[in-house]
Amino acid sequence: MKAILLAGGKGTRLRPLTLHTPKPIVPIFDRPFLQYQIDLLRQVPEIDEIVLSLNYQPRRIEEVFGDGSDLGVHITYVVEPQPLGTGGAIKFAAGEYTGEPLVVFNGDVFTSVDLPAVLALHRERRAKATIVLTPVDNPTAYGLVETDEAGNVRAFLEKPSADEITCDTINAGIYVLEPDSLDRIPADTVFSIERGYFPSLVADRETFVASVYRGYWIDIGTPEKYRQAHRDIMDGRFPARPFVKKAGQALVSPAAKIEDGAIIEGPCFIDAGATVKAGARIAAYSVIGSHCHVGEGATITGSILWPNTWVDAGAVVTGAVTGRHCHLGRHTTVGEGTLLGDKSVVTDYSHL
């Protein structure tokens, strides 16, 4: 069985962090984001090939995951000749595949969905397609999906206006598709699965089934949601590595150097090779990446420092995300919502 991960997006909402780091390998603590999706696919032993559908900086992603053997899976890669949209990308990645259903994930989805249960429902209903839905408070930014009492999809409206909202279940970006149903997607053409393929299934009265999932789900494609995903893992709302059965704790790598007099407040995460100097304070919901340096008297609160970032003495960083190899000078103040791209330099006493 084949699974396709749609990982070709440029991650524009996360810029400048994604200028040199494609979104699939943006770190969640000490692991690339896409590794969490791969862990989900491993729930289904039948899946013997995971296809990464790429477009933006594909070599960077392949360098991280290789052939998948280190993760206990088999990974192959397809690179779109040009952006083909979600439907076109699926068609291109599937190639001549026939037989068992295809499992498809959008590249932004961070969830603990029960994938074997979704596949079982798809087979039980002999569906052409099964879509995972999740309830949200504000569905206007997503694809709104209406179902009947039997769980059949009856309407699919992408990003509705406020007066078009009739339910709270949205497209969660997880699908099980019969390979022969992809015939309705034109080859080598920009085509949207949300605006073209799914509405055609409804119009043709095909068996198009919804699986409503009410557990953890988040789209990590914005800085706010990226930070929230870390907080949710630290708090145990999403049970995932490295905080499984360790919610609320301060997790400090044995290979980190924490000097006497440093203050470490949980939940937080300090990776291998990091140094926290005397008098520095790592406050709750902070992530200190590998080989970071936090100087004397510096304070990091609710921020994520990617690897090899240097924070000088007396700096205060609150609610920010820094890329790799950043340098924050002495007594700098970096405030809520700040994003710093790789190798950014904030000079001494600056305020952002």
Side-chain angles (χ1 to χ4, degrees):
M1 183 184 293
K2 181 179 286 191
I4 297 172
L5 300 184
L6 300 177
K10 293 183 177 180
T12 54
R13 294 175 297 171
L14 285 172
R15 285 178 178 169
L17 297 169
T18 49
L19 289 176
H20 304 290
T21 302
K23 185 169 57 180
I25 57 173
V26 161
I28 304 289
F29 299 104
D30 57 347
R31 310 172 83 210
F33 160 65
L34 209 62
Q35 192 167 337
Y36 291 86
Q37 290 192 341
I38 291 170
D39 286 348
L40 272 179
L41 294 174
R42 292 176 64 189
Q43 295 179 6
V44 182
E46 296 166 80
I47 294 176
D48 54 13
E49 181 184 7
I50 298 173
V51 182
L52 301 192
S53 173
L54 308 178
N55 178 262
Y56 178 63
Q57 298 186 19
R59 288 186 180 179
R60 292 290 312 279
I61 298 168
E62 189 169 356
E63 285 170 0
V64 171
F65 293 109
D67 63 2
S69 57
D70 289 346
L71 303 176
V73 296
H74 174 53
I75 295 176
T76 59
Y77 300 85
V78 296
V79 180
E80 300 171 72
Q82 66 275 337
L84 294 171
T86 48
I90 293 169
K91 177 88 168 184
F92 186 73
E96 302 299 320
Y97 179 75
T98 59
E100 292 295 315
L102 279 168
V103 176
V104 180
F105 272 69
N106 278 357
D108 294 333
V109 175
F110 201 47
T111 181
S112 54
V113 67
D114 185 346
L115 198 54
V118 176
L119 188 59
L121 173 66
H122 178 85
R123 286 169 165 158
E124 177 187 336
R125 295 291 305 274
R126 298 183 178 179
K128 281 290 185 185
T130 298
I131 182 172
V132 176
L133 308 182
T134 191
V136 295
D137 294 333
N138 177 17
T140 57
Y142 303 94
L144 185 67
V145 185
E146 296 179 353
T147 61
D148 62 19
E149 293 181 355
N152 299 299
V153 176
R154 290 298 177 233
F156 198 99
L157 184 61
E158 182 67 9
K159 297 185 179 179
S161 59
D163 60 348
E164 293 175 311
I165 296 174
T166 57
C167 62
D168 66 350
T169 47
I170 66 161
N171 174 9
I174 302 166
Y175 321 120
V176 181
L177 311 175
E178 289 300 314
D180 61 7
S181 73
L182 301 184
D183 291 346
R184 62 186 65 230
I185 300 176
D188 303 319
T189 301
V190 177
F191 193 84
S192 167
I193 193 171
E194 299 87 356
R195 296 181 177 88
Y197 172 86
F198 288 142
S200 75
L201 292 175
V202 174
D204 294 345
R205 309 293 291 183
E206 296 281 9
T207 306
F208 180 20
V209 177
S211 174
V212 179
Y213 173 68
R214 300 189 180 277
Y216 187 85
W217 180 92
I218 195 171
D219 171 352
I220 71 148
T222 68
E224 297 77 18
K225 294 296 180 65
Y226 174 68
R227 286 174 52 211
Q228 182 184 332
H230 285 82
R231 292 194 301 269
D232 290 344
I233 291 175
M234 291 189 218
D235 282 339
R237 283 190 291 271
F238 178 28
R241 291 178 56 182
F243 281 83
V244 175
K245 298 182 180 179
K246 297 177 182 178
Q249 297 183 29
L251 297 189
V252 180
S253 168
K257 181 180 179 182
I258 312 298
E259 291 191 354
D260 291 343
I263 301 169
I264 310 297
E265 301 172 354
C268 69
F269 177 81
I270 302 176
D271 205 355
T275 298
V276 181
K277 302 292 283 184
R281 175 174 169 242
I282 309 300
Y285 303 109
S286 295
V287 177
I288 311 301
S290 64
H291 302 285
C292 285
H293 174 98
V294 181
E296 293 88 346
T299 299
I300 313 295
T301 303
S303 298
I304 301 171
L305 310 185
W306 286 13
N308 297 291
T309 284
W310 185 285
V311 180
D312 266 331
V316 177
V317 185
T318 305
V321 184
T322 73
R324 292 177 172 84
H325 296 281
C326 291
H327 187 171
L328 282 55
R330 293 175 301 134
H331 300 283
T332 52
T333 300
V334 178
E336 186 73 31
T338 301
L339 303 180
L340 297 176
D342 291 354
K343 300 182 180 179
S344 292
V345 176
V346 182
T347 56
D348 295 353
Y349 294 91
S350 295
H351 290 250
L352 295 180

